[in-house]
């Protein structure tokens, strides 16, 4: 993280990781932000543009069940719900979930506190669309295999998994978080009957230098 908006997250994450706690800094960051003492760098005013663009191109709405992984303050989840998805969204940070509920008091999203490293068993194969946007890349590389597998398991038969992440070259080392994903790490979301449909490097309209992975997987 190098942008000035990332400063608080970097400070808290570094301290948390030194204590052997790879996820505790999320709650610390949201608490500090709620008190006006920190900035959540991914707290955008609009849903992720690469998600919005993909949804506009794919007819996957109308009562389908959606899951937003690491939902933060709820922008992506609210967008899905507005399109007619029966949406569940979770985050490990209790304050993030509380803040999302407060921001959207009339929301139809089912906001839940949950841990990607130990998700509830009932989420397995339960969702027609799973959206994983920059959550796995916020976890240390040593935890990536578990996190990736848990994301993939949520996809229902016939369902889609959409992954949006930063890009890292194979073999490149980075002092994270975040630890953007290599192509190999993107490919790791596939397995068994979850197959890659399209893996691309995409950028939002008008932002050609803001390039991210956007990968679609589908369960047979």
């Amino acid at each position: 993280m190098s942008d000035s908006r990332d400063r608080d997250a970097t400070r808290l994450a570094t301290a948390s990781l030194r204590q052997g706690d790879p996820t505790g800094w999320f709650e610390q960051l949201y608490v500090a932000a709620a008190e006006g003492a920190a900035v959540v760098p991914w707290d955008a005013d609009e849903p992720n543009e690469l998600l919005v663009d993909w949804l506009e191109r794919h007819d996957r709405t109308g009562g389908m069940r959606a899951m937003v992984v690491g939902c933060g303050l709820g922008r992506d989840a609210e967008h899905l719900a507005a399109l007619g998805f029966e949406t569940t969204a979770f985050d490990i940070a209790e304050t993030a979930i509380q803040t999302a509920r407060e921001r959207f008091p009339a929301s139809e999203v089912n906001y839940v506190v949950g841990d990607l490293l130990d998700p509830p068993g009932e989420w397995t194969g339960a969702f027609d669309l799973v959206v994983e946007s920059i959550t796995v890349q916020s976890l240390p590389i040593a935890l990536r295999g578990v996190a990736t597998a848990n994301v993939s398991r949520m996809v229902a038969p016939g369902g889609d998994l959409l992954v949006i992440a930063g890009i890292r070259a194979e073999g490149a080392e980075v002092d994270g978080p975040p630890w953007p994903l290599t192509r190999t790490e993107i490919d790791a979301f596939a397995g068994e009957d979850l197959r890659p449909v399209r893996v691309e490097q995409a950028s939002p309209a008008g932002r050609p230098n803001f390039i991210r992975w956007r990968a679609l997987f589908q369960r047979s």
Side-chain angles (χ1 to χ4, degrees), residues 65-169:
R65 301 157 298 172
M67 166 62 84
V68 180
V69 176
C71 64
L73 299 173
R75 296 292 182 186
D76 291 348
E78 293 299 321
H79 184 69
L80 286 164
L83 292 175
F85 285 93
E86 182 184 328
T87 306
T88 298
F90 78 94
D91 201 283
I92 196 170
E94 183 176 351
T95 299
I97 295 300
Q98 178 181 339
T99 303
R101 290 171 177 160
E102 292 171 351
R103 280 191 176 184
F104 307 104
S107 177
E108 296 184 357
V109 176
N110 177 29
Y111 286 109
V112 181
V113 177
D115 185 354
L116 178 56
L117 301 178
D118 186 23
E122 59 264 29
W123 289 355
T124 299
F127 301 97
D128 304 300
L129 174 63
V130 176
V131 177
E132 151 44 9
S133 178
I134 72 170
T135 300
V136 170
Q137 72 173 43
S138 70
L139 298 171
I141 292 174
L143 301 176
R144 190 144 299 170
V146 172
T148 296
N150 286 342
V151 169
S152 298
R153 289 190 187 101
M154 297 179 192
V155 184
D160 294 329
L161 165 62
L162 185 69
V163 178
I164 299 170
I167 300 169
R168 179 166 56 94

Side-chain angles (χ1 to χ4, degrees), residues 4-27:
S4 60
R5 283 180 56 83
D6 297 327
R7 191 173 300 133
D8 299 317
T10 300
R11 171 176 52 83
L12 292 170
T14 299
S16 187
L17 289 165
R18 284 175 178 167
Q19 296 170 4
D21 182 358
T23 59
W25 64 276
F26 291 106
E27 174 65 7

Side-chain angles (χ1 to χ4, degrees), residues 55 58-65 80 83-85:
L55 289 166
H58 295 76
D59 184 20
R60 300 289 284 168
T61 57
M64 292 185 175
R65 301 157 298 172
L80 286 164
L83 292 175
F85 285 93

